[in-house]
Amino acid sequence: MNKPILVALAAALAVAAPAAAQKRPLNVEDVYNVKDVRDPQRSPDGKWVAYTVARAIKDTDKNDTDVWMVSWDGSQDIQLTSSPDSESTPRWSPDNKFLAFVSSRQGAKGGQIWVMNRLGGEAIKITDIKGGVSDFAWSPDSKRMVLVVNEPDPRDPQDDDKTAADKKKTPPPVVIDRYHFKEDVSGYLRNERKHLYLFDVASKKADILTPGTFDEELPVWSPDGSQIAFVSKRGTGDLDRNNNTDVYIIDAKVGAQPRQLTTSPASDGNGRVSWSPDGKQIAYLTGEEIKYSAYNQNKLAILAASGGQPRLVAEALDRPIRQPLWSADGASLTVLVVDDRSQYPARIDVNTGKVDRLVTGPRVVGNVTSGGSDGGFAVLASSDTELPEVAALESGKLRRLSHQNDEWMSKLLLGTTEEFTSTSKDGTEVHGLLVKPPTYRAGEKYPTLLRIHGGPNGQDEHSFSFERELFAANGYVVVAVNYRGSNGRGSAYQKAIFADWGNKEVVDLLGAMDHVQKIGLADPDRLGIGGWSYGGILTDYTIATDGRFKAATSGAGSALQLSMYGVDEYITQYENEIGPPWKAQDLWIKISYPFFHADRIKTPTLFLGGDKDFNVPLVGGEQMYQALRSLGVDTQLVIYPSQYHGITIPSYKVDRLQRYLDWYEKYLKKGRTSTLP
């Protein structure tokens, strides 16, 4: 190397060194820096993309969502709303004159529709619907909307009927008479319904389109505006006992009767349907029979709008499909494909079923929407080192449009994410991700955390994970395993754990940990484990099976599965997959082995949960906490007041992450004790 090159290299290093030194590790307070970008919607003229940005506000300890729009060339990014009340579901009018959204701003009850004129001015509330609006869609001529309205149980007194004295009285008892009677966030289920309403924008008049005793959702207008397709669960008998939704069509006029399109015993219309440009066909997603509902892998189907026999398209594609969207010429459908740690958009030929992947590389692309005449799509795109942002998808290439998180993330030292493959003791090939600390040095063994995703029908993927990066920033190697039951590896892989919980998943998790120990990455004396929801459940299963872990965190989990019957929201799955306890007592006892073998657990374990969780109720953690406390194993139970299955209050999110770090540090690094009460 000659002297001029050496001088240039030295100068470059001198500039780079201070820049690198300015970067810092991720910390729990960065929860307040995250801008959660969602729901991109390209305008009809193709010139703008509306989207939402959600933030955690430290001063108020609340979350706020605002509507933004970015120009298609990326040169302008404009915040459209800034009220302390959240706005969501931005939707362009087809004539390109208005942008509507849902909000409960200014005291609007239950969420109402607000409209902004593209020429400027403040948003105007155009609906005042009792129960509130949860979803809506513009008609093709922009003169009407179809609304999804939340209607209370008709047996309940209306607010307008109550006197001031009535409103101060103790609430009446909750009377339950439904088979499926609990749902997280919704609480105890009664006879509340979701109905479709037709709404005239000019007169602001709303008329019910689908009265009755059924729920309707996910409405989509036909291209000519004469009909609306929607999804509903109907029939005779107790509808709570199945998950068999179907696609229906109704004329867009009051008094019309719906016509059922799909009739399969599987769940049809898993997501919004898509009309072909000529209005003659409907593309939709069809799922599994009821007993496999927890392991659903949607397939793409097409059906004539006039009715008839549906046909599956790209049936050989053994991967979950999402969000079908017709091409302008009606020759193909763009879909999202979940595939082995990634998610990508693909084009499927409707005649041949040929699948063409539109984007390559380890990343997650979602929320595809079209607009304009150039064939481009607005999407959300993320990677291991990038939070989801709005991007343009053109000719197989992604072009970033929004940059909501660029500034603060440019200051971070991030870990390195790698794919790995392990082999379980029964010979099963398992795929996962490894995240190494930013300060990783080859040849050194690290304290290692097995962090388990929930579901189980989900996957650890190439999208930015705040949790994985936080642990890596604190010096841990993080192992994320797509155990059997996860999606992205085919239907048989998902269904492998049917009625056999806590067996093959644990075999796969331990096989992955064997692998990272064998390659010299994980310190066998400093192994931790943890997860939330099914990740917490699998934590309980694993520490009752293997004693190698020195610390565990089990969030929103359960171990005495028998006690979940009638307590959580999964009654339909239980009776169709496991069977009623009085008919399948041995199987219920078998899958409850972490509780009945709690005396085998030596791992100090932190249990956490929300006190209003109806998904995996807090009792699941309370029982295991009590068992380990009785056995003298170091344990702690943390309860988040007024929280459901998902922790939403910002300070609680920070608290949970800090407790994870403190618990692992106490046992894996022999460091300081907890800084939290």
Side-chain angles (χ1 to χ4, degrees):
M1 185 177 290
N2 58 39
K3 186 174 181 179
I5 293 177
L6 286 171
V7 172
L9 179 60
L13 290 173
V15 172
Q22 292 175 2
K23 292 195 173 187
R24 62 171 179 82
L26 187 74
N27 63 63
V28 295
E29 291 291 320
D30 282 316
V31 164
Y32 299 111
N33 288 325
V34 172
K35 294 181 179 179
D36 187 5
V37 176
R38 307 172 190 167
D39 202 8
Q41 299 289 322
R42 194 177 182 193
S43 62
D45 63 6
K47 294 180 180 179
W48 293 89
V49 180
Y51 65 99
T52 61
V53 179
R55 301 175 300 138
I57 310 300
K58 188 172 185 178
D59 291 343
T60 62
D61 207 16
K62 294 182 179 180
N63 300 290
D64 182 51
T65 303
D66 291 306
V67 177
W68 288 64
M69 69 177 187
V70 60
S71 60
W72 189 245
D73 63 6
S75 63
Q76 301 178 71
D77 202 1
I78 302 168
Q79 184 171 354
L80 298 178
T81 68
S82 56
S83 76
D85 301 293
S86 291
E87 296 85 20
S88 66
T89 323
R91 297 293 182 264
W92 302 95
S93 61
D95 63 9
N96 215 58
K97 293 180 180 179
F98 300 97
L99 180 65
F101 58 85
V102 177
S103 179
S104 57
R105 54 174 22 197
Q106 299 178 18
K109 293 183 179 180
Q112 301 294 335
I113 305 292
W114 298 69
V115 170
M116 304 182 76
N117 193 310
R118 293 291 310 281
L119 298 178
E122 293 293 325
I124 299 173
K125 181 166 71 74
I126 63 170
T127 67
D128 189 13
I129 309 290
K130 288 183 178 180
V133 178
S134 59
D135 188 19
F136 73 100
W138 289 91
S139 64
D141 63 5
S142 302
K143 294 180 179 180
R144 294 189 292 173
M145 295 179 176
V146 57
L147 314 178
V148 179
V149 174
N150 306 310
E151 295 194 341
D153 191 319
R155 298 173 297 183
D156 292 342
Q158 301 296 312
D159 287 342
D160 294 346
D161 298 333
K162 294 179 181 178
T163 66
D166 289 334
K167 293 178 181 179
K168 295 179 180 179
K169 288 182 179 178
T170 301
V174 177
V175 179
I176 300 295
D177 52 16
R178 290 181 59 173
Y179 170 77
H180 173 58
F181 69 95
K182 302 181 78 170
E183 197 77 32
D184 196 39
V185 182
S186 297
Y188 290 106
L189 302 179
R190 301 179 68 235
N191 291 322
E192 301 89 352
R193 295 298 178 199
K194 290 184 178 180
H195 289 312
L196 304 186
Y197 278 65
L198 286 175
F199 180 77
D200 185 273
V201 176
S203 67
K204 298 183 174 56
K205 186 174 183 293
D207 294 300
I208 191 166
L209 179 64
T210 57
T213 58
F214 304 110
D215 292 305
E216 299 87 24
E217 58 183 350
L218 303 173
V220 183
W221 291 84
S222 62
D224 65 2
S226 66
Q227 296 179 303
I228 295 171
F230 63 92
V231 176
S232 184
K233 184 167 66 171
R234 302 188 173 206
T236 59
D238 190 345
L239 297 182
D240 281 341
R241 292 180 180 271
N242 68 72
N243 295 316
N244 184 20
T245 56
D246 282 297
V247 179
Y248 290 78
I249 287 180
I250 189 170
D251 289 339
K253 57 185 179 182
V254 175
Q257 294 300 310
R259 176 167 51 89
Q260 184 175 349
L261 276 189
T262 63
T263 58
S264 77
S267 180
D268 295 319
N270 296 323
R272 215 173 292 274
V273 306
S274 181
W275 289 82
S276 62
D278 61 8
K280 294 181 178 180
Q281 299 182 91
I282 288 180
Y284 66 96
L285 300 178
T286 182
E288 308 281 355
E289 59 182 295
I290 186 172
K291 72 176 183 177
Y292 292 123
S293 61
Y295 315 100
N296 187 57
Q297 179 171 288
N298 288 325
K299 302 178 182 67
L300 178 63
I302 295 178
L303 179 64
S306 59
Q309 187 66 28
R311 65 183 179 92
L312 295 180
V313 184
E315 192 172 3
L317 179 61
D318 188 18
R319 292 292 185 270
I321 292 176
R322 298 171 178 169
Q323 296 182 351
L325 187 64
W326 285 90
S327 62
D329 61 7
S332 64
L333 285 154
T334 298
V335 301
L336 295 173
V337 180
V338 180
D339 181 33
D340 195 11
R341 294 166 285 194
S342 291
Q343 179 173 284
Y344 61 83
R347 182 182 296 111
I348 299 179
D349 187 289
V350 297
N351 292 319
T352 66
K354 183 175 181 293
V355 181
D356 292 315
R357 182 170 178 165
L358 299 182
V359 174
T360 60
R363 65 180 70 250
V364 171
V365 178
N367 296 84
V368 176
T369 62
S370 61
S373 58
D374 58 6
F377 299 98
V379 303
L380 283 184
S382 60
S383 68
D384 297 316
T385 56
E386 299 171 307
L387 279 157
E389 295 279 2
V390 180
L393 172 57
E394 303 167 303
S395 303
K397 294 183 179 179
L398 291 171
R399 175 171 55 85
R400 277 276 298 278
L401 296 181
S402 73
H403 301 271
Q404 293 285 343
N405 293 284
D406 287 6
E407 182 179 357
W408 74 272
M409 287 195 67
S410 68
K411 302 172 184 178
L412 298 180
L413 287 169
L414 296 177
T416 302
T417 300
E418 302 173 358
E419 294 186 349
F420 76 91
T421 298
S422 59
T423 302
S424 300
K425 67 179 182 181
D426 61 3
T428 300
E429 182 179 297
V430 175
H431 299 170
L433 298 172
L434 285 172
V435 184
K436 297 177 179 177
T439 55
Y440 170 76
R441 294 187 297 272
E444 185 174 333
K445 293 183 178 180
Y446 286 83
T448 300
L449 302 180
L450 172 60
R451 296 296 299 180
I452 310 169
H453 72 74
N457 193 359
Q459 67 166 357
D460 284 307
E461 56 194 5
H462 288 290
S463 185
F464 185 85
S465 167
F466 191 100
E467 182 184 279
R468 292 199 299 255
E469 288 292 344
L470 178 65
F471 290 134
N474 281 269
Y476 297 98
V477 166
V478 185
V479 183
V481 183
N482 288 324
Y483 51 85
R484 275 171 283 186
S486 306
N487 64 21
R489 292 284 306 282
S491 182
Y493 193 84
Q494 284 180 246
K495 295 174 181 173
I497 66 170
F498 178 82
D500 189 23
W501 308 339
N503 180 14
K504 297 181 180 69
E505 313 99 296
V506 174
V507 171
D508 294 344
L509 294 170
L510 293 177
M513 293 305 289
D514 290 340
H515 171 77
V516 293
Q517 290 175 243
K518 183 177 180 180
I519 63 177
L521 188 58
D523 184 342
D525 295 323
R526 294 187 292 170
L527 302 179
I529 186 174
W532 193 267
S533 190
Y534 201 72
I537 292 171
L538 285 182
T539 295
D540 294 347
Y541 278 125
T542 305
I543 60 176
T545 303
D546 192 288
R548 74 181 72 181
F549 299 98
K550 302 301 188 291
T553 68
S554 178
S558 61
L560 180 53
Q561 311 306 352
L562 179 60
S563 69
M564 293 292 104
Y565 183 93
V567 174
D568 63 19
E569 62 186 38
Y570 295 105
I571 184 61
T572 306
Q573 179 189 351
Y574 291 158
E575 295 206 339
N576 285 278
E577 182 175 349
I578 306 300
W582 49 93
K583 291 184 178 180
Q585 180 178 343
D586 291 345
L587 182 53
W588 279 99
I589 298 296
K590 176 186 175 184
I591 62 175
S592 298
Y593 74 78
F595 183 82
F596 290 115
H597 296 302
D599 55 345
R600 299 178 182 178
I601 298 174
K602 308 302 178 187
T603 304
T605 305
L606 173 68
F607 296 97
L608 313 93
D611 68 350
K612 292 188 179 300
D613 189 348
F614 274 6
N615 187 314
V616 185
L618 185 64
V619 64
E622 290 175 329
Q623 290 167 338
M624 285 302 290
Y625 164 78
Q626 189 68 75
L628 296 195
R629 178 60 66 191
S630 176
L631 291 163
V633 177
D634 195 6
T635 184
Q636 193 175 70
L637 175 64
V638 179
I639 301 167
Y640 293 105
S642 301
Q643 294 297 281
Y644 303 104
H645 194 60
I647 303 301
T648 58
I649 293 178
S651 63
Y652 288 167
K653 290 182 179 181
V654 172
D655 180 275
R656 178 174 58 174
L657 291 169
Q658 188 60 58
R659 289 185 189 279
Y660 288 163
L661 292 174
D662 289 347
W663 194 261
Y664 286 136
E665 181 161 335
K666 179 179 179 181
Y667 295 100
L668 304 184
K669 294 184 178 180
K670 305 301 181 184
R672 58 182 174 82
T673 57
S674 175
T675 60
L676 296 167

